[in-house]
Amino acid sequence: MTTSSAPGKVYLFGEHAVVYGEPAVPCAIERRARVTVEERDDDRVRVEADELTLDGFTVMWGGESGDRPDVNVPTPLVEAAMGYIDNALEQARDAADAPDAGFDITVESDIPLGAGLGSSAAVVVAGIDAGTRELGVELDPIEIADRAYQVEYEVQDGQASRADTFCSAMGGVVRVQGDDCRRIEGVSNLPFVVGYDGGSGDTGELVAGVRKLKEEYEFAENTVESIGDIVRNGESALRNDDLEELGRLMDFNHGLLSALGVSGRTLDSMVWTAREADALGAKLTGAGGGGCIVALDRTEQTKTALEYTPGCEAAFRAELDTDGVRVESE
Ligand code: PMV
């Protein structure tokens, strides 16, 4: 039996623009998905999941009967979760040259699902690591990141950047531009606070909306390029450890994401709460629509203010996690 874990992430800068070749800077946070894998002596797969936004479910498939899920949670969510897990296991079988391996899987996660914190990437990265180790093979994190990206690409119909999967596998602060992924070393702690509205956005739909806007309006094209400029400015602020400047740039980034139509009432309301609580800056994180915002605040003020904000379901401090994927027990 092998358990591996991998962190979720927030986007400091650059979501959506990264889809069009601009750089993005995601940061791993100390909220993890843990996947436990035990090889079976048949070729079936049994999954038990205990996700924050799911009630928990057990699914079994494979073998001759090809059982379908008997669950008490919405089918699309389960199907999406199963798609990620199934493809991650396929990657593990491929890497270990064990095409018929069956598994018992347990997924535990303290990352809200579909809320811009990279929950699916964390499950896939941890699943590939645990699955391959269970089959006696150890992959380096770069290869895990690459295989996890293939999974997201497959499950999300090609609408995936390498940002989530690379960040989850490597940990820390990373820079992603197209296929060029690297860690940004030497960043000291970033005082993140996350506000979560309990909802989620449809990444595919939101990405398609921005693409359409870009095709129709030059301002949208320019907005995407301006987000790229913010990211480049942000990189030098990171190098200079200039938190005030980072916060200002996050505020700009949120404004431009709003202009592209991907914010939402609760996200905007949480961003304004953070600003009024004297956060250094705040923005939505991930695809948008609903889900999470991230603010930068050294004090407890933003977290406390968010806790009293209508529409905010949870607020928590999220320390930067310098560890990426790691084995918890073997
Ligand atoms: O909401 P998330 O964590 O899936 O992030 C989506 C980020 C986008 O830039 C909108 C799409 C992508 O794959 O980069």
Side-chain angles (χ1 to χ4, degrees), residues 84-85 88 119-129 144 147-148 151-152 165:
Y84 289 111
I85 293 168
S119 59
S120 56
V123 168
V124 170
V125 164
I128 294 176
D129 189 57
I144 294 174
R147 286 183 177 273
V151 172
E152 289 225 320
T165 40

Side-chain angles (χ1 to χ4, degrees), residues 9 11 15-16 18-19 116-118 156 159-161 164 203 207 286-287:
K9 60 105 225 311
Y11 271 96
E15 55 274 85
H16 284 286
V18 70
V19 175
L117 298 185
Q156 293 168 201
Q159 306 272 25
S161 72
D164 283 23
T203 302
V207 169

Side-chain angles (χ1 to χ4, degrees), residues 100-292:
D100 298 322
F103 303 98
D104 284 334
I105 312 282
T106 308
V107 180
E108 292 163 283
S109 174
D110 38 46
I111 311 165
L113 208 64
L117 298 185
S119 59
S120 56
V123 168
V124 170
V125 164
I128 294 176
D129 189 57
T132 45
R133 284 174 187 274
E134 179 71 6
L135 296 171
V137 171
E138 202 174 313
L139 303 180
D140 70 49
I142 302 256
E143 182 169 355
I144 294 174
D146 192 53
R147 286 183 177 273
Y149 169 65
Q150 309 301 335
V151 172
E152 289 225 320
Y153 192 87
E154 180 84 15
V155 180
Q156 293 168 201
D157 294 326
Q159 306 272 25
S161 72
R162 290 181 179 272
D164 283 23
T165 40
F166 185 77
C167 185
S168 185
M170 305 304 288
V173 181
V174 308
R175 178 191 201 273
V176 174
Q177 185 164 25
D179 288 341
D180 179 21
C181 304
R182 52 189 76 184
R183 251 179 84 122
I184 300 177
E185 301 296 345
V187 178
S188 55
N189 192 30
L190 296 168
F192 291 130
V193 178
V194 172
Y196 173 40
D197 70 5
S200 62
D202 182 328
T203 302
E205 224 169 73
L206 290 153
V207 169
V210 172
R211 176 164 290 126
K212 189 153 172 289
L213 214 56
K214 241 178 111 266
E215 280 161 9
E216 219 169 307
Y217 296 97
E218 207 182 320
F219 97 81
E221 178 99 46
N222 298 337
T223 302
V224 166
E225 281 167 26
S226 299
I227 293 178
D229 290 338
I230 289 176
V231 182
R232 285 178 278 274
N233 280 295
E235 285 177 79
S236 47
L238 272 172
R239 274 192 298 274
N240 299 332
D241 226 353
D242 187 347
L243 288 186
E244 275 71 17
E245 176 70 357
L246 282 176
R248 269 193 296 275
L249 293 167
M250 287 168 76
D251 285 340
F252 284 139
N253 197 161
H254 183 76
L256 296 185
L257 287 166
S258 283
L260 292 174
V262 298
S263 191
R265 186 182 282 268
T266 48
L267 296 177
D268 279 343
S269 145
M270 291 190 291
V271 160
W272 276 104
T273 294
R275 288 176 185 164
E276 283 166 6
D278 283 338
L280 298 169
K283 62 183 277 297
L284 67 85
T285 170
C292 291

